[in-house]
Amino acid sequence: MNIIFLTLVEINSIEERGIYQDLLRKFRNEDHDVTIVTPVERRRKIPTNFSEKEGVSILQVKTFNIQKTNIIEKGVGTLAIEYQYLSAIKKYTSHKKYDLVLYSTPPITFAKVIELIKKRDHAKSYLLLKDIFPQNAVDMNMLSNGGFLHKQFLKKEKKLYQISDKIGCMSPANADFILKHNPEIDRKKVEVNPNTIEPVNFEYSEVEKNSIREKYQVPTDKKVLIYGGNLGKPQGLDFLLETIEKNDSDQIFFLVVGSGTEFFKIQKWFNEKKPYNAKLLQKLPKEDYDQLLASCDAGLIFLDKNFTIPNFPSRLLSYLEMKMPVIAATDPNTDIGNIIEEAECGYKVLAGNQKEMQEKLQLLLNTDLKEMGENAGKLLFNKYTVDQSYHLIIKEIQDV
């Protein structure tokens, strides 16, 4: 099968680790022909180009800066990317006929690109729904509910769902939300196809773990709880900082690692408060981060309490891969907390409820972390490996 994958994630190598790279590598390893269409932001000063390496084709499309930039350029860039992709695909892929066009949200502005490939090649289409936009922007007060831009984006969202032969959602709550708010969608089009990875075994001895902690000046005699990943507004990180400040246990140490729009705000808080029980580190290279993560005892997930959409952060998979218990402090609409509690590998907390958070932290201290960690590993292998996602896509596209 010839597959073309459209994404806003910058992919330079199929051998990198990540939810998209892992899935695409699976397709390649199963002898499918894979073309990846990925942005290269103008700050990189690289022109649009087409190359073949590592058994796949990569079409880099020069775009505006769309990540970690101001809201105006991000908005313009997101709207312009559809036409930039259209132009590049017409120019560089006319020699190929695709059977499947695979794409993820964000963005929701790929409709014309998808329609071109479907019409030109009689291809099937599969949406990996990773982001429910524009509602998430409304929840974060980045878009005015019912405003002009909101209405325009809603039209694009519904168009994307309409032209998709299949829609893979991250969780049952995710799928229910889409169907409830888009009753025109045929229920048969929607299925649960969550974030998945190709797991790697990270087994370190206690000596090795202590050595890694010492490298980053992290205590070796405390339970280290790590929050790793994007430090942005959607994560509701004020609650994380409040959690650090309110926790007076001499057995817990918080480690915050990442980058994002809120990093400097968090850095300022750390500089002013100088917490004795926490440390902030900027984003690390993937290999270094994985080693540090493997030396920790439990993972933390935070989501803003105002979300009405059921987000399902991919950072969960990193924690499960390390066989770590998880505490998820989220809005009441996501089902990520229910899933980890049902699997007996962690606890859920309602974001903003500090009393409940401190209770769950204490509960974690009194829990057999090894047993919970084993349950975390089982959850990963039962639900979140690329094999499962791959077979869902192949099966459903063949059945369309």
Side-chain angles (χ1 to χ4, degrees), residues 100-316:
L100 169 66
V101 52
L102 186 65
Y103 43 97
S104 62
T105 54
I108 57 167
T109 53
F110 278 157
K112 285 185 173 63
V113 183
I114 297 158
E115 285 182 314
L116 167 73
I117 299 168
K118 290 188 73 172
K119 183 178 180 180
R120 185 188 74 181
D121 301 344
H122 303 291
K124 303 300 183 184
S125 56
Y126 195 109
L127 168 61
L128 295 167
L129 190 70
K130 306 300 185 187
D131 194 21
I132 301 176
F133 182 86
Q135 186 56 48
N136 61 347
V138 172
D139 290 346
M140 293 295 95
N141 295 315
M142 295 172 70
L143 271 182
S144 175
N145 191 19
F148 175 76
L149 276 179
H150 181 229
K151 289 179 180 177
Q152 295 304 307
F153 281 127
L154 272 178
K155 288 180 183 177
K156 289 183 178 293
E157 179 191 22
K158 289 185 179 295
K159 177 68 173 177
L160 189 68
Y161 298 156
Q162 176 197 332
I163 65 173
S164 299
D165 293 317
K166 283 290 177 179
I167 302 173
C169 299
M170 293 188 293
S171 72
N174 214 256
D176 291 343
F177 183 93
I178 289 298
L179 289 169
K180 177 181 178 182
H181 293 274
N182 301 274
E184 70 279 5
I185 296 178
D186 183 350
R187 299 185 71 91
K188 294 178 183 177
K189 285 174 60 166
V190 179
E191 67 180 354
V192 176
N193 190 344
N195 294 325
T196 58
I197 60 172
E198 182 180 21
V200 173
N201 186 33
F202 290 91
E203 293 287 348
Y204 291 107
S205 66
E206 289 304 311
V207 172
E208 289 172 320
K209 287 182 179 180
N210 287 340
S211 177
I212 295 168
R213 289 193 188 187
E214 288 168 357
K215 175 182 176 182
Y216 294 98
Q217 298 180 318
V218 174
T220 58
D221 59 345
K222 300 181 186 299
K223 299 299 182 187
V224 178
L225 278 55
I226 185 170
Y227 173 89
N230 186 40
L231 302 174
K233 189 175 180 182
Q235 283 67 49
L237 296 172
D238 285 342
F239 188 54
L240 167 60
L241 300 181
E242 180 187 286
T243 297
I244 294 171
E245 191 168 22
K246 296 292 184 183
N247 188 263
D248 57 5
S249 171
D250 60 1
Q251 300 177 61
I252 290 177
F253 189 85
F254 296 92
L255 184 57
V256 182
V257 186
S259 64
T261 57
E262 301 292 287
F263 178 83
F264 292 108
K265 174 183 174 181
I266 295 168
Q267 187 179 52
K268 182 182 177 185
W269 184 90
F270 267 81
N271 290 338
E272 291 175 353
K273 298 289 185 178
K274 294 181 170 56
Y276 70 93
N277 62 340
K279 186 180 185 71
L280 172 66
L281 293 173
Q282 278 192 299
K283 183 179 179 179
L284 296 169
K286 177 66 172 169
E287 186 176 343
D288 293 340
Y289 174 70
D290 284 341
Q291 287 182 348
L292 179 58
L293 187 60
S295 76
C296 297
D297 297 293
L300 299 172
I301 291 172
F302 286 83
L303 284 173
D304 192 284
K305 64 182 179 181
N306 295 315
F307 271 121
T308 62
I309 61 170
N311 290 295
F312 206 92
S314 61
R315 79 189 71 241
L316 172 66

Side-chain angles (χ1 to χ4, degrees), residues 297-343:
D297 297 293
L300 299 172
I301 291 172
F302 286 83
L303 284 173
D304 192 284
K305 64 182 179 181
N306 295 315
F307 271 121
T308 62
I309 61 170
N311 290 295
F312 206 92
S314 61
R315 79 189 71 241
L316 172 66
L317 305 188
S318 298
Y319 299 152
L320 300 183
E321 186 178 33
M322 301 296 172
K323 297 183 178 180
M324 295 167 60
V326 182
I327 292 182
T330 72
D331 59 88
N333 298 294
T334 182
D335 51 355
I336 192 169
N338 294 334
I339 288 171
I340 62 174
E341 286 202 342
E342 287 168 8

